[in-house]
């Protein structure tokens, strides 16, 4: 049986068993809801997956494109060592304000920086500055810009870095070559870019759960 109620129940079961209750993360979710932010943050079990990937990667420098209320940023920042840093990019100043409050409540204000502005501009500035490469990049922002974000991520990483792109299945619409939906067009262009890019090896995984039918792409920069 495949249905939204079943997906919700399974997500709830795994989150209860393997993630557990976390007052800080639950508070971040509540603060985002109170501020009227869209309910599009990653699910708890997805947040823990990001955390485990960052820990496995041994990431010391993490870049996130798309902050929203800071929920995924908290999961990622908690994976960092004592000398680690996270930079997260957000277009909406109101979202950034909520995220900063949530990161501060999580004790991560000194670890995570929320930078406001167009992500494309912020990424271009980072490239221009020649910043130290990031060990992990999580892209979860406007989907039409995914190809540009990925190109910039390649310029801001190193051999062995991981690049994760969320929401790539689009409810199955990614397989529709005739779609005119900008999010689907951008996502298909992203994967065409990845397929033609010799410096990365990648795969995509479909997921179902409390966030519906979607998935993510995981790319590793070749050594």
């Amino acid at each position: 049986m495949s249905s939204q109620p079943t997906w919700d129940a399974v997500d709830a079961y795994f989150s209860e068993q393997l993630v557990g209750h976390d007052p800080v993360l639950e508070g971040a979710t509540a603060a985002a809801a109170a501020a009227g932010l869209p309910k599009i943050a990653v699910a708890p079990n997805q947040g823990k997956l990001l955390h485990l990937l960052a820990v496995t990667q041994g990431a010391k420098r993490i870049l996130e494109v798309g902050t929203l209320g800071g929920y995924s940023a908290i999961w990622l920042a908690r994976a960092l060592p004592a000398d680690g840093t996270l930079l997260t990019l957000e277009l909406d100043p109101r979202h950034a304000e909520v995220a900063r409050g949530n990161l501060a409540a999580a004790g991560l204000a000194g670890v995570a920086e929320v930078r406001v502005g167009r992500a494309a501009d912020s990424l271009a500035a980072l490239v221009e500055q020649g910043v130290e490469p990031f060990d992990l990049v999580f892209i979860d922002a406007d989907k039409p810009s995914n190809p540009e974000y990925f190109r910039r991520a390649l310029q801001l990483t190193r051999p062995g870095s991981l690049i994760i792109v969320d929401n790539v299945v689009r409810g199955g619409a990614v397989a529709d070559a005739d779609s005119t939906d900008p999010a689907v067009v951008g996502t298909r262009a992203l994967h065409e870019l990845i397929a033609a890019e010799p410096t990365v090896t990648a795969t995509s995984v479909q997921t179902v759960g409390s966030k519906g039918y979607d998935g993510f792409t995981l790319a590793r920069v070749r050594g």
Side-chain angles (χ1 to χ4, degrees), residues 143-144 169-170 173-177 179-189:
K143 311 312 172 187
V169 173
R170 315 305 306 164
V174 71
D176 182 3
S179 176
T180 58
D181 181 337
V184 175
V185 173
T187 301
R188 287 179 62 88

Side-chain angles (χ1 to χ4, degrees), residues 18-83:
L18 304 178
V19 179
H21 293 286
D22 187 313
V24 169
L25 289 167
E26 291 164 5
T29 299
L37 271 61
K39 296 181 179 180
I40 55 174
V42 301
N45 53 340
Q46 295 168 341
K48 189 161 187 182
L49 173 62
L50 291 173
H51 176 87
L52 291 172
L53 287 170
V55 170
T56 302
Q57 177 70 358
K60 292 186 177 181
R61 285 176 52 79
I62 296 176
L63 172 65
E64 179 182 52
V65 183
T67 312
L68 195 62
Y71 185 85
S72 54
I74 292 172
W75 273 112
L76 288 166
R78 283 178 167 179
L80 291 165
D83 58 346

Side-chain angles (χ1 to χ4, degrees), residues 197-212:
E197 177 53 61
T199 65
V200 299
T201 181
T203 192
S204 296
V205 177
Q206 300 180 78
T207 60
V208 296
S210 60
K211 298 298 178 178

Side-chain angles (χ1 to χ4, degrees), residues 127-145:
V127 172
E128 180 67 22
Q129 293 163 16
V131 298
E132 183 181 346
F134 292 93
D135 306 305
L136 185 147
V137 179
F138 178 48
I139 299 173
D140 188 14
D142 61 303
K143 311 312 172 187
S145 299

